[in-house]
């Protein structure tokens, strides 16, 4: 499990180049939404989610998007614009053009402790990889994320490596804490097996 982090080429500076947010990315203050209308109406505008968690398109009205999944927000924005401009939703394109930056603290048995800043679209696993992950005494089976004093998610790197889809993508929020505890019991397997190693 530790080799997964040691051999990765992903670094913190690369996280600004992450792909577009997936459908389950939750919108927050500072994210920017673009609305493009194709056809007769020449409309291409960008709206920033304000401190109250909303965008305010002229003639559309206030749309509260904070905490909403990206896919759901796209549906709502398209519906509102289609109704106002009396056009079909297929002529409206809604995208995120910029994601907010969050500060996250890493602690425990990790190579690089401290606070780091990431685009909010960064998954916990990518953030761990970019900070070089657990040290040799750190667990790769029970890494957990704390938010507002509560554990919101645990990560098992072995399970992720064997089946990436089994580990739901959890995105980071401002002031989250990622904690790597001590590793649990270790056994050594050697002899006539394919992978002699500590497990």
């Amino acid at each position: 499990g530790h080799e997964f982090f040691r051999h990765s080429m992903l670094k913190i500076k690369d996280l600004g180049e992450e792909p577009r947010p997936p459908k389950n990315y939750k919108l927050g203050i500072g994210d920017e939404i673009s609305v493009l209308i194709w056809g007769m109406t020449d409309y291409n505008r960008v709206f920033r989610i304000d401190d109250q968690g909303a965008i305010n398109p002229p003639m559309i009205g206030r749309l509260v998007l904070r905490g909403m999944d990206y896919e759901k927000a796209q549906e709502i924005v398209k519906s509102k614009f289609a109704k106002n401009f009396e056009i079909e939703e297929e002529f409206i394109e809604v995208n995120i053009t910029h994601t907010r930056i969050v500060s996250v603290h890493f602690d425990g048995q990790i190579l690089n402790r401290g606070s780091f800043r990431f685009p909010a679209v960064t998954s916990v696993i990518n953030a761990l990889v970019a900070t070089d992950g657990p040290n040799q005494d750190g667990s790769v089976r029970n890494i957990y994320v704390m938010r507002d004093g509560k554990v919101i998610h645990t990560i098992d790197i072995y399970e992720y490596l064997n089946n990436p889809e089994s580990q739901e993508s959890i995105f980071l929020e401002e002031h989250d804490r990622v904690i790597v505890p001590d590793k649990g019991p270790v056994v050594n397997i050697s002899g006539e097996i394919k992978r002699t190693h500590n497990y």
Side-chain angles (χ1 to χ4, degrees):
H2 292 90
E3 285 81 1
F4 169 70
F5 297 99
R6 306 297 175 262
H7 297 156
S8 174
M9 300 300 291
L10 179 66
K11 298 301 177 187
I12 293 172
K13 64 181 178 63
D14 300 321
L15 292 177
E17 303 172 3
E18 290 235 336
R20 285 185 178 181
K23 295 178 180 179
N24 65 333
Y25 171 74
K26 292 192 181 297
L27 299 176
I29 296 170
D31 286 339
E32 295 181 0
I33 307 293
S34 70
V35 180
L36 172 65
I37 300 178
W38 301 96
M40 296 178 63
T41 305
D42 182 17
Y43 193 102
N44 188 0
R45 303 280 291 273
V46 175
F47 304 97
R48 180 184 179 275
I49 298 179
D50 63 23
D51 292 342
Q52 285 72 50
I55 61 173
N56 294 278
M59 299 184 295
I60 300 296
R62 185 175 178 79
L63 300 175
V64 178
L65 303 178
R66 182 183 184 184
M68 190 176 295
D69 284 354
Y70 179 32
E71 183 178 38
K72 182 64 175 177
Q74 286 178 304
E75 293 173 0
I76 289 176
V77 173
K78 282 184 179 181
S79 175
K80 293 289 186 181
F81 273 81
K83 182 177 180 181
N84 184 77
F85 285 89
E86 298 182 345
I87 57 175
E88 297 295 326
E89 291 186 16
E90 64 189 64
F91 296 110
I92 303 170
E93 184 176 324
V94 178
N95 293 303
I96 292 180
T97 57
H98 173 75
T99 58
R100 63 197 185 279
I101 301 297
V102 296
S103 181
V104 180
H105 190 78
F106 290 76
D107 204 357
Q109 297 292 353
I110 192 164
L111 280 178
N112 295 299
R113 294 184 184 181
S115 294
F116 297 88
R117 292 176 62 77
F118 303 99
V121 69
T122 307
S123 69
V124 177
I125 288 178
N126 277 355
L128 279 165
V129 169
T131 56
D132 295 327
N135 61 32
Q136 288 306 116
D137 294 322
S139 172
V140 293
R141 305 302 306 267
N142 189 34
I143 300 169
Y144 55 94
V145 181
M146 294 192 70
R147 183 173 299 163
D148 298 325
K150 297 180 180 179
V151 175
I152 64 160
H153 191 69
T154 58
I155 297 168
D156 183 336
I157 298 300
Y158 285 164
E159 188 171 347
Y160 170 78
L161 292 174
N162 289 323
N163 182 14
E165 294 182 359
S166 69
Q167 298 286 291
E168 179 185 4
S169 292
I170 298 296
F171 302 102
L172 296 164
E173 296 286 352
E174 183 75 7
H175 303 310
D176 278 355
R177 295 182 65 206
V178 179
I179 301 175
V180 179
D182 293 337
K183 63 185 176 184
V186 176
V187 296
N188 178 272
I189 301 178
S190 60
E192 296 182 7
I193 63 171
K194 290 184 177 179
R195 299 187 67 185
T196 298
H197 216 293
N198 295 327
Y199 294 88

